[in-house]
Amino acid sequence: SSRGNSSDYTQLLAAVMEAAECHTNFLRTFFSDACPLKHFLQSIVNDWYQSIVLEIGGQCRCVTFTPLPRQDPCTPRRINVNVAQMHTCPSEDGEDIDWHDERLPPEVPALSGVVTVRLVRNSTDKYIGFQFLCGSTLAVLASIQFREFLNIPNEQQLSLSSSLTVRIKQIVGFPAVDYKCSLCMSGIGGSSSSYCCTSCLRNKTDFHLPSEAIQRYREPGKKPTVNNAPLRIGRNSVEECYKRSAKLNGNGAILVYK
């Protein structure tokens, strides 16, 4: 199928062998400080990432980075970009450059709301990456190597400066989970729990019973024979269950602002 959880719409972030839908797996992946996934997802939720898009000679490369200092979560942030003169390295693969190889996007100071970048060309005239620069001395902050080098035809080289377009856009995260994942994240448990509804405290064995509203719709003027279950409020609310879950499994470190 080309829908749902297929590779057309999803990308694997973490995997655990012999997995089950339980808090143990969240503890080993999403909540673990040893895994960059926790910090990556939190930055997505907080809208801390920016995406820099370089369009060169009809080709495009896109890279994610973190501007510093970090702002309050979910705060709109606009960053402008300056383009410096291209850098040419003497080697073919840029082995003389200290390329960024961390597991998380590079952190780039953007105190004035502006970053400076420049392309990096190798000895065979291929564009192998770009660099974030700082200050009047253009000190290198981070060097990002393209996974696939850009090979610009010779006839386009002379007009490259005019065809180069660089723009930066804030990445806005929209947390979304399926119902079973929602149960785990809310601390209620799983779909096998006796009271697995996120809205009320009806036992799952009674899910087939119609609500009061449905009963009134089916038989107007007749008093419902089955009352609605108590709502999830107080200690049993999703908010309180989530707090207990975060404290027990993530030390309260993963915060959901949206």
Side-chain angles (χ1 to χ4, degrees), residues 51-54 65 78-84 112-118 130-133 164-169:
S51 177
I52 181 169
V53 181
L54 301 97
F65 71 98
R78 180 175 180 177
I79 296 179
N80 296 317
V81 57
N82 293 326
V83 180
S112 59
V114 178
V115 297
T116 301
V117 300
R118 70 180 176 190
F130 73 98
Q131 295 174 317
F132 286 103
L133 308 175
L164 172 61
T165 301
V166 183
R167 62 183 186 275
I168 295 178
K169 299 292 185 180

Side-chain angles (χ1 to χ4, degrees), residues 202-218:
R202 184 179 296 281
N203 193 293
K204 68 176 183 179
T205 59
D206 295 330
F207 279 178
H208 66 284
L209 298 175
S211 67
E212 294 179 12
I214 291 179
Q215 293 177 72
R216 293 192 185 96
Y217 175 79
R218 290 176 176 174

